[in-house]
Amino acid sequence: MKQLWALLFFSWLCLAHCGKPTVVKIGAIFSFNSVIGKVAKVAIEEAVKDVNSNPNILQETHLQVSMQNSNCSGFMGMVEALRFMEKDVVGIIGPQCSVVAHMISHMANELRVPLLSFAVTDPVMSPLQFPYFIRTTQSDLYQMDAIASIVDFYGWKEVIAVFVDDDYGRNGVAALNDKLASRRLRITYKAGLHPDTVANKNEIMNILIKIMLLQPRIIVIHVYSEMGFAVFKEAKYLGMMENGYVWIATDWLSTNLDSSSPLPPERLETIQGVLVLRPHTPDSTLKREFYSKWRRIPGYPLALNAYALYAYDSVMLLARALDKFFKHGGIISFSNDTMLDELGKSGNLNLEAMTIFDGGETLLKDILGTQMVGLTGQLDFTPDRSRTRPAYDIINVAGTGVRQIGYWSNHSGLSVVSPESLDTKKQPNMSFGTTNPKLKNVIWPGETFVKPRGWVFTNNGKELKIGVPRRVSYKEFVSQIRGTENMFKGFCIDVFTAAVNLLPYAVPVKFIPYGDGKKNPSYTHMVEMITTGNFDGVVGDTAIVTNRTKIVDFTQPYAASGLVVVAPFKKLNSGAWAFLRPFNRLMWAVTGCCFLFVGIVVWILEHRTNDEFRGPPKRQCVTILWFSFSTMFFAHRENTVSTLGRLVLIIWLFVVLIINSSYTASLTSILTVQQLSSPIKGIESLRERDDPIGFQVGSFAESYLRNELNISESRLVPLGSPEAYAKALKDGPSKGGVAAIVDERPYVELFLSSNCAYRIVGQEFTKSGWGFAFPRDSPLAIDLSTAILELAENGDLQRIHDKWLMKNACTLENAELESDRLHLKSFWGLFLICGVACLLALLLYFVQIIRQFFAKPSEEDSIGRELSQNHDSSSLRSTRLQRFLSLMDEKEEVSKGGNKKRKIDGSVNDTLGSGSRRSRGFDRERSFNSVNPLD
C-alpha cells in the first residue's frame, strides 16, 4: 500500500514538472522612438531581469520577452500583434497608444491573450467591450477630473480645448467636457489638430488665431509631445504666453519634463507659467532603489518618467499572476481556431498559425486578483478595472525647472499634502474631500502671481447683442431716442453704462430694441431670447423673479422692487365723535367691563374691613361705580386697607396707565394728522373682494396674481400707461374701472408723484429687485455685480436715481392712510394679568371666609340639631346660607392687641347668657334672622 502511494506521488510530481515550462513567452508592443517608449524599453528589460533573478517568482521558469515597434500606428500595431500570436505568447505588455489599443484589443479577445497597457489612458476602453485589456496606468477620466477641479477652484467658467484629433485626444476631451459639466462649467471651443500637423505650421497658426478672437483665456492642451511643443512655439510668437492667459497641459508635458530635463532653452522659454499634470507615484524605498539602479545602467537613454515605472510594474504583475497560475495547476497550451483554419485554407494569410491560449481566461482572473506593491505604489483594481486611489501631481513651469504646487486625488481632491500623507497621518483637522483644497502660489504666464481673470473682451471680438425693451410708458426708466435705431436713454441705461465704465476691460455692446413700440413688451419672453442666442444680455427694468433665474443669471440688483397695491382714498374729518375712534367697539366694551369687574372685586375684598365700602345697598352700588370709573383718572377717594385689595388696585392702575397713554397718543394723531381712508387695506382684502384689479402690460404682476394668489383671470385688467391707471382708478368698478392696481414699487412711486388722489395701501407683499440678465455662468454678470456695488458705495447710483426719478411730491406728502385702530389684541396681555390677579385675590378671600365659617363646628352642630327638631331640611339649608352671607357682611375689626373680632351690624347681642343649650340656640337663630345681609 505504501508503495502505491509513493508511486502516485511520484507521478503527480512528474506531471507538475512537465506542466510547468522552463520558458514563458511574453510580448511587448510600443513606439520605440517616443519619449515613453525609450524609457519603457529599458524598464521592461530590467523587470524581466529582476523576475528571472528572483527565486520567489516563477522559480525555475524564465520569462522571455519579444518587443515590437508599433510607431503608434493602428495598422503597424495590428501587424506586429499578429506576429506575436504566431509565437505562442501568453501576455502582451502594451500597447502604448490608444489607436493601437482599439485595434489589437479585438484580436486579444478572440485569442484570449491579456494586454497589460502601461500608457493607454483612453477612458473609453471599457472592460465590457475589451475584457482582456488591463490598464496598469491611470485613466484620463481622472486626469480630466483633476483639470476640472483646478478650473473650478480658481473660479473660471469656460475653457478652450486643444487636442489631437484621434482616439486619444477626442475621448480625453469628451471626458473633460463631462467633468466640467458636472461643475456647471463648459468647453467653449474645441480645436482639433490632425495627428500629422507637426510639420504644418500654418494650420496651428490659424487655430491659435481663432482662439485669440474668443473670450475665454483658459486653454487645456491634450496632444502628443512634438505637436504640443509646436503649439507652444506658435503661441509664444502670437503673444499668447503673456499675462491674462492660462495654459493647462496634460501629462504629455510632464513626461518630457521628467525624461528630457533640462529641456532645451528655446523650448523651456515657450512653456513658462504653464500648469502641468503628472501621474503621482508615492515615494518609497523600492522606488528610490530603482532610481539609483537606473543611473547605473550604462548608457541609459533618458531619465525615468512615470510611464517607465508603470511598464516595470506591468511586467512584475504579469510574472506574479503567472506564478499564481502555475501554482493553481495551470498549463500553457494553445489550440487552433476552426474559423481561422478555414480562412487560412482559402488564402495565403497563414491564419492557421494563430492559436488560442487555452489558459487565457484563468490567467486574466489571476492578473486581476493579484495585489502587489510596486514602484508606482499599491497595484490593485476596482470592479471597473481602474487602479485604486488615482492621483496626480500639479506642477508649474517656472524659470529653468518646475515647482510642485499641489496634488489631486479622487478621494481627497486638491491639496498641498500628498494623498498618502492624508491616509497615514490621520490628522484631526483633515477629512477626505475637504482637506485644505488650496494650492500653492502659481507663477502664471507673464511672470505674475496675480490670478488671471480667465476671459476677456478682445478688440477684434464681436459686439454683445443687448436686448432693450421698447417701452411706451414710464419712459424715465428706459426709452428709445427718437430718430435712432440702437440708442436708448433712461435710468436703467445710465446705470448699465456707468457699471460698464468701471470694468477693467472694454465691453463692445450693441443695443437691440425689443417690442413693437405700441405696448410694453413681455419681459419674460425677452429674457427667454437669451437662451435661444438672439440676445447676449438684457438691459432694462427687468425684475429678478424665480422663473427667470432658472434660465439666466442676473447681476446684483441695482434698484429695489416689489409688488404693492394702489387704491383711491378719501379724507376723514375729525368730527364730533372723533374721540371714540382710537378704540374699536370690542376694545370699548372690554375696557368698560373690566372697570366694573375690578370695582366689584375691590368692593368684595374691602367690604368687611373698610367702612367706606359699607352702608345701604344703594350707597354701595354708587361706591362701586364711582370707584371703578374714577380710577381712569386716578381720582378715586376711597382708601383700600386690605392687602388683597391693594394688590388688585395697583395692578389695575398700571393697566389704566397703559390704556390712557395709548388712547391719548391715538387721539392726538387723529386730531392733528390728516387721516385717509380706503375700503381696501392690502392684498388680502383685495383678494377677498370680487372687484377688478389692474396691472401693467408686460409686467410679471399678471402671472403672480393669477398663479400665486389664484385670482381669477377675469378680474385682471391690463393697463398700459399712467393715464390709464388714473382713469381706471377714478372710474372705479361701477364705471368699468378697477378697485385697485397691483404693480412694482418704482412704477407706483413715479405714478403717485403726479397723482395725489391715490395711495399705496397695505405692505409690499413681494421682495425683489431689478438687474441685468446674461446667459448662465456668464463672467460678465459677476463683474457687473461688483461694479454695481461700487456705484452704490460711491453714491453714483443714488445720483443717477435722483437725475431720472426725483419728482415733485404731492402736497399731501404728510398724509397717511387710516392707521389701524387700537384693538383688543394689543392689550389682551394686560387684561389677562389683571384678570388673573383679581381671580387669585377672590380665591384667597373666599378661602379665609370658609375657614371662619367652619371655625366652631361643635357649636354649629348643636344649633343644627336644635334647628332640625323644629324645621325641615330646606329650612336648615336656608339658615346656613343666611349665616354664610351674614359672615361675609360682618364688620371685621383689628383690636389694639392684634386679635381680630367680628361685629354684626344690627341689634344682635354678642354675649349669650348661660341658659340652656336650646335658649342659646333660639337666641342665635333670632340674631341671624334679624341681620340684613345687604347692610
Side-chain angles (χ1 to χ4, degrees):
M1 189 66 181
K2 292 181 179 180
Q3 295 176 350
L4 178 61
W5 281 110
L7 180 61
L8 291 175
F9 180 74
F10 179 76
S11 300
W12 179 81
L13 287 177
C14 291
L15 289 173
H17 180 74
C18 295
K20 185 176 181 181
T22 57
V23 175
V24 175
K25 297 178 182 180
I26 64 173
I29 183 169
F30 50 90
S31 180
F32 290 174
N33 296 325
S34 65
V35 175
I36 294 177
K38 290 177 181 179
V39 292
K41 183 175 184 297
V42 180
I44 291 173
E45 291 173 348
E46 291 299 316
V48 172
K49 292 178 183 178
D50 291 343
V51 169
N52 292 335
S53 62
N54 190 339
N56 296 322
I57 303 177
L58 294 179
Q59 285 86 26
E60 299 177 358
T61 301
H62 289 265
L63 282 182
Q64 179 181 332
V65 60
S66 58
M67 302 183 186
Q68 301 292 343
N69 183 12
S70 66
N71 200 27
C72 280
S73 168
F75 175 74
M76 291 301 299
M78 177 62 72
V79 172
E80 300 301 338
L82 290 174
R83 291 184 181 181
F84 281 141
M85 300 311 170
E86 296 177 354
K87 299 178 181 179
D88 294 338
V89 297
V90 297
I92 297 177
I93 305 300
Q96 174 188 337
C97 303
S98 299
V99 176
V100 179
H102 281 275
M103 295 291 292
I104 69 174
S105 292
H106 294 284
M107 183 179 61
N109 291 346
E110 294 296 329
L111 301 182
R112 303 175 190 171
V113 178
L115 300 176
L116 284 78
S117 176
F118 60 89
V120 172
T121 57
D122 186 352
V124 303
M125 295 296 294
S126 168
L128 297 177
Q129 184 180 7
F130 306 112
Y132 282 85
F133 175 83
I134 304 170
R135 193 197 320 269
T136 58
T137 184
Q138 298 178 160
S139 169
D140 274 342
L141 189 68
Y142 301 107
Q143 182 170 210
M144 299 307 169
D145 196 2
I147 293 176
S149 297
I150 295 172
V151 174
D152 189 31
F153 171 71
Y154 285 112
W156 301 317
K157 298 296 183 182
E158 298 177 345
V159 302
I160 295 173
V162 178
F163 62 98
V164 57
D165 197 4
D166 63 4
D167 292 335
Y168 162 73
R170 285 192 302 270
N171 296 332
V173 170
L176 175 62
N177 188 66
D178 293 340
K179 294 301 181 180
L180 290 172
S182 66
R183 294 168 171 83
R184 290 189 61 185
L185 314 174
R186 67 190 183 104
I187 299 177
T188 303
Y189 180 70
K190 299 178 183 178
L193 296 173
H194 193 277
D196 298 329
T197 310
V198 178
N200 194 338
K201 174 181 175 180
N202 292 332
E203 184 175 352
I204 295 177
M205 186 74 72
N206 292 335
I207 289 178
L208 292 179
I209 291 174
K210 290 180 181 179
I211 293 175
M212 290 180 64
L213 299 178
L214 300 175
Q215 294 181 6
R217 287 293 182 261
I218 314 301
I219 304 172
V220 178
I221 179 167
H222 185 54
V223 294
Y224 298 125
S225 299
E226 293 303 319
M227 182 184 299
F229 285 116
V231 171
F232 280 124
K233 180 181 178 180
E234 303 304 327
K236 177 71 174 176
Y237 175 78
L238 294 173
M240 299 177 67
M241 301 303 298
E242 300 300 328
N243 188 12
Y245 284 89
V246 175
W247 290 82
I248 303 176
T250 54
D251 55 14
W252 67 267
L253 182 54
S254 62
T255 301
N256 283 269
L257 291 170
D258 291 340
S259 295
S260 304
S261 182
L263 288 175
E266 61 274 11
R267 283 194 168 182
L268 193 60
E269 185 181 358
T270 63
I271 59 174
Q272 292 296 307
V274 177
L275 291 182
V276 189
L277 271 71
R278 175 174 59 197
H280 176 72
T281 55
D283 188 26
S284 64
T285 303
L286 188 63
K287 178 181 174 182
R288 289 193 295 269
E289 291 176 352
F290 186 76
Y291 267 84
S292 178
K293 177 182 178 181
W294 183 269
R295 298 187 188 97
R296 297 194 300 269
I297 297 175
Y300 70 94
L302 297 171
L304 277 171
N305 58 46
Y307 288 105
L309 304 180
Y310 288 129
Y312 182 93
D313 282 353
S314 298
V315 176
M316 298 300 295
L317 177 63
L318 180 58
R320 293 181 182 276
L322 284 170
D323 187 56
K324 185 187 296 186
F325 174 79
F326 290 135
K327 287 181 179 180
H328 292 167
I331 299 175
I332 302 296
S333 63
F334 297 87
S335 59
N336 293 327
D337 190 336
T338 56
M339 294 180 60
L340 292 177
D341 289 343
E342 293 177 0
L343 291 174
K345 293 178 182 179
S346 60
N348 297 323
L349 296 178
N350 196 26
L351 296 177
E352 65 273 6
M354 291 187 294
T355 55
I356 298 175
F357 177 31
D358 297 329
E361 186 175 355
T362 303
L363 179 59
L364 176 65
K365 294 180 181 179
D366 290 335
I367 293 173
L368 296 175
T370 300
Q371 296 183 356
M372 57 171 279
V373 177
L375 301 180
T376 58
Q378 182 68 34
L379 181 55
D380 51 9
F381 301 96
T382 62
D384 63 349
R385 298 190 185 179
S386 298
R387 288 196 61 159
T388 57
R389 298 292 175 89
Y392 286 87
D393 300 334
I394 304 173
I395 59 179
N396 179 212
V397 181
T400 59
V402 296
R403 301 169 55 249
Q404 179 94 27
I405 64 169
Y407 303 88
W408 178 92
S409 68
N410 70 329
H411 66 283
S412 62
L414 296 175
S415 175
V416 295
V417 183
S418 63
E420 57 271 12
S421 298
L422 298 177
D423 294 335
T424 57
K425 292 182 180 179
K426 301 296 183 182
Q427 300 180 17
N429 58 341
M430 291 185 177
S431 59
F432 291 144
T434 60
T435 304
N436 189 17
K438 296 181 179 179
L439 301 176
K440 296 179 181 178
N441 290 333
V442 178
I443 301 178
W444 303 101
E447 298 182 356
T448 177
F449 285 96
V450 180
K451 185 199 76 171
R453 187 171 58 250
W455 71 285
V456 69
F457 281 106
T458 59
N459 293 331
N460 296 327
K462 63 178 182 178
E463 293 180 324
L464 289 181
K465 297 178 294 184
I466 302 298
V468 183
R470 185 183 294 172
R471 295 192 59 88
V472 297
S473 61
Y474 297 111
K475 294 186 177 182
E476 291 87 348
F477 295 106
V478 57
S479 64
Q480 189 174 11
I481 298 177
R482 183 174 300 178
T484 64
E485 183 178 355
N486 303 111
M487 298 181 65
F488 289 81
K489 64 179 181 179
F491 169 69
C492 303
I493 301 299
D494 281 5
V495 172
F496 177 75
T497 303
V500 169
N501 291 336
L502 291 177
L503 298 179
Y505 49 86
V507 181
V509 299
K510 179 181 180 181
F511 291 137
I512 300 177
Y514 179 77
D516 56 10
K518 299 179 180 178
K519 64 179 181 180
N520 294 333
S522 170
Y523 281 65
T524 300
H525 293 163
M526 181 172 61
V527 170
E528 289 174 352
M529 293 188 71
I530 296 177
T531 62
T532 61
N534 296 89
F535 293 149
D536 297 317
V538 166
V539 170
D541 46 340
T542 310
I544 304 174
V545 294
T546 303
N547 63 329
R548 297 173 186 172
T549 58
K550 293 178 180 179
I551 57 176
V552 297
D553 281 350
F554 282 91
T555 63
Q556 173 79 15
Y558 61 86
S561 180
L563 294 180
V564 294
V565 178
V566 180
F569 66 93
K570 62 179 180 179
K571 301 177 184 179
L572 293 179
N573 298 321
S574 298
W577 303 100
F579 67 90
L580 296 176
R581 285 170 52 190
F583 290 165
N584 62 3
R585 293 180 180 179
L586 180 61
M587 182 65 185
W588 278 117
V590 172
T591 303
C593 292
C594 283
F595 274 107
L596 292 176
F597 177 69
V598 171
I600 294 173
V601 170
V602 172
W603 176 82
I604 293 174
L605 298 176
E606 294 290 324
H607 180 68
R608 301 184 66 220
T609 58
N610 195 338
D611 290 335
E612 295 182 359
F613 289 86
R614 302 183 64 82
K618 181 178 180 181
R619 176 187 172 187
Q620 295 184 47
C621 290
V622 172
T623 300
I624 292 175
L625 294 175
W626 164 255
F627 179 82
S628 300
F629 291 99
S630 63
T631 56
M632 181 186 303
F633 310 103
F634 305 98
H636 52 284
R637 56 184 176 80
E638 293 81 6
N639 294 322
T640 53
V641 297
S642 68
T643 302
L644 295 178
R646 290 174 177 177
L647 175 65
V648 170
L649 183 60
I650 194 170
I651 294 176
W652 172 244
L653 291 178
F654 175 74
V655 175
V656 170
L657 175 64
I658 301 300
I659 294 176
N660 275 342
S661 301
S662 302
Y663 176 87
T664 303
S666 180
L667 183 61
T668 302
S669 175
I670 291 173
L671 297 177
T672 58
V673 178
Q674 174 65 59
Q675 298 293 304
L676 309 177
S677 176
S678 173
I680 300 173
K681 306 302 181 183
I683 188 63
E684 292 301 327
S685 62
L686 188 61
R687 289 179 61 186
E688 296 171 357
R689 302 162 65 98
D690 293 329
D691 296 330
I693 304 171
F695 67 91
Q696 183 181 175
V697 175
S699 172
F700 78 97
E702 177 188 10
S703 60
Y704 185 88
L705 294 172
R706 186 176 62 251
N707 300 328
E708 301 296 331
L709 301 183
N710 298 320
I711 294 178
S712 173
E713 188 173 359
S714 60
R715 294 179 57 191
L716 303 180
V717 179
L719 302 172
S721 65
E723 294 76 16
Y725 279 24
K727 184 178 184 304
L729 289 172
K730 181 179 180 181
D731 293 343
S734 60
K735 297 182 180 180
V738 297
I741 293 175
V742 175
D743 204 352
E744 297 177 69
R745 180 175 285 275
Y747 303 121
V748 170
E749 290 177 347
L750 197 60
F751 168 74
L752 295 180
S753 65
S754 57
N755 293 271
C756 300
Y758 314 103
R759 279 293 181 272
I760 296 175
V761 295
Q763 300 296 322
E764 187 175 83
F765 57 93
T766 66
K767 294 291 185 180
S768 62
W770 288 353
F772 305 128
F774 293 94
R776 297 297 296 270
D777 303 320
S778 171
L780 185 58
I782 299 175
D783 291 350
L784 279 178
S785 295
T786 304
I788 291 171
L789 290 175
E790 186 175 347
L791 288 175
E793 292 172 357
N794 61 25
D796 288 345
L797 188 60
Q798 184 62 41
R799 283 188 284 272
I800 297 173
H801 177 276
D802 295 343
K803 171 186 174 182
W804 289 98
L805 305 180
M806 184 63 70
K807 302 294 183 181
N808 294 327
C810 293
T811 56
L812 296 177
E813 184 65 32
N814 295 326
E816 297 180 357
L817 281 177
E818 180 185 8
S819 58
D820 291 338
R821 288 181 169 183
L822 297 176
H823 294 272
L824 179 62
K825 63 182 180 181
S826 302
F827 301 93
W828 72 268
L830 292 173
F831 287 132
L832 177 64
I833 294 173
C834 183
V836 170
C838 292
L839 294 177
L840 183 61
L842 288 176
L843 177 63
L844 294 176
Y845 174 78
F846 283 114
V847 168
Q848 293 177 358
I849 294 297
I850 293 173
R851 289 181 61 186
Q852 293 178 10
F853 183 75
F854 293 103
K856 296 180 179 180
S858 59
E859 183 179 353
E860 293 169 359
D861 292 344
S862 62
I863 295 175
R865 286 193 298 269
E866 294 175 358
L867 291 176
S868 61
Q869 297 176 359
N870 301 283
H871 303 277
D872 55 12
S873 59
S874 60
S875 299
L876 180 61
R877 286 194 297 271
S878 175
T879 302
R880 289 182 177 179
L881 177 60
Q882 291 177 0
R883 179 176 175 273
F884 180 76
L885 294 177
S886 66
L887 182 61
M888 290 184 60
D889 191 52
E890 286 181 354
K891 177 67 182 339
E892 184 176 13
E893 295 181 348
V894 181
S895 65
K896 294 181 180 181
N899 297 324
K900 293 182 178 180
K901 62 179 182 178
R902 299 194 305 272
K903 179 181 179 180
I904 303 176
D905 292 343
S907 58
V908 179
N909 188 2
D910 291 337
T911 304
L912 299 175
S914 57
S916 64
R917 186 179 301 270
R918 176 181 296 273
S919 63
R920 185 169 62 246
F922 282 119
D923 290 341
R924 176 62 57 87
E925 182 180 358
R926 287 194 299 271
S927 176
F928 289 161
N929 293 334
S930 65
V931 174
N932 185 358
L934 297 178
D935 187 17

